[in-house]
Amino acid sequence: MIPLVHDLSGETVLVFGGGPVGARKARRFARETRTVVVSPEFADRDFGDAELVRAAPAPDDVADWVDRFDPVLVVVATNDTDVNDAAATAARSRGAMVNRADESGDRDAGSVVVPATVDDGAVSVAITTGGSSPALSKYLRERIERDIDGAGAMADLTAELRAELKESTRTPAERRAAIRAVVRDPTVWKALRSADANPRREAARVITNTTQGDS
């Protein structure tokens, strides 16, 4: 499976199943796009901003639900294998992607695995085991979450610095070296994580030192 970042703006994600897995998937997708959950019951679970439709479609009815919402992705998360199979078949026949929460390991062609993600501003890190070990994905996500603290702020800072350096007399090689030095400098990272420090000043110092070192 090849990891991709997909823009779902303006699309619909259709989730079959209102259990814990369906709720978790719904919360994730509802942050980005229209998400509809079809289930006979929802208990007291958090579905984020997803639209909840109380219904218990039989396998023969599933295709009509897919036609009704025309989703780009169908999440299959019921405890009924026949409904799950029908949902996956209906989705693929209409060109929609499929995420089957009831399967792990080997997947059918065209399947989608929803990774565990860590977000810090503009920086996102995705972890997947191909669906074979959600516990491992969760553990790695927790570790990476600590490691990338400040990465979003670093992305914003280096974007500004790149724009400023393009207006300077430095060569492309010098500009790349300067940005690499900023990204790798521990004092800049420390400043980004502290409310009392000035990360731009630290970055300027690093860039100056890099330029002087090349001269």
Side-chain angles (χ1 to χ4, degrees):
M1 303 193 79
I2 301 174
L4 298 173
V5 179
H6 196 102
D7 185 355
L8 296 178
S9 301
E11 302 287 358
T12 298
V13 173
L14 179 60
V15 180
F16 286 100
V21 175
R24 174 167 52 82
K25 298 291 180 74
R27 289 195 303 273
R28 177 66 183 89
F29 287 112
R31 298 201 302 265
E32 309 294 338
T33 193
R34 183 193 184 197
T35 302
V36 180
V37 184
V38 178
S39 176
E41 59 90 20
F42 300 101
D44 189 23
R45 300 186 179 97
D46 178 13
F47 292 84
D49 293 327
E51 302 171 30
L52 307 183
V53 180
R54 191 176 297 277
D60 291 341
D61 302 327
V62 168
D64 293 336
W65 286 91
V66 176
D67 287 339
R68 174 180 173 184
F69 291 103
D70 189 25
V72 69
L73 170 66
V74 173
V75 177
V76 182
T78 82
N79 57 7
D80 187 321
T81 301
D82 292 335
V83 171
N84 292 347
D85 290 342
T89 299
R92 290 195 176 93
S93 69
R94 288 153 181 79
M97 297 180 288
V98 179
N99 170 239
R100 290 198 64 155
D102 63 337
E103 290 184 347
S104 62
D106 293 338
R107 303 271 174 161
D108 293 333
S111 295
V112 171
V113 172
V114 182
T117 56
V118 181
D119 299 309
D120 190 304
V123 176
S124 295
V125 179
I127 309 108
T128 176
T129 61
S132 62
S133 181
L136 177 59
S137 292
K138 181 179 180 181
Y139 168 72
L140 293 174
R141 176 179 59 78
E142 291 169 350
R143 289 191 58 180
I144 293 171
E145 199 167 30
R146 296 189 296 270
D147 292 340
I148 71 166
D149 179 31
M154 177 64 84
D156 294 339
L157 174 61
T158 51
E160 295 173 4
L161 294 173
R162 286 181 64 203
E164 294 170 7
L165 287 170
K166 284 182 180 180
E167 302 299 323
S168 72
T169 58
R170 293 180 176 87
T171 66
E174 289 172 339
R175 297 198 297 265
R176 288 193 295 271
I179 295 299
R180 282 197 298 268
V182 169
V183 168
R184 296 174 182 178
D185 191 275
T187 60
V188 179
W189 281 99
K190 184 177 180 180
L192 288 168
R193 293 164 175 163
S194 173
D196 301 325
N198 188 329
R200 282 192 64 90
R201 182 175 60 204
E202 295 298 332
R205 175 189 56 78
V206 172
I207 291 173
T208 299
N209 291 344
T210 302
T211 303
Q212 291 175 345
D214 292 337
S215 59

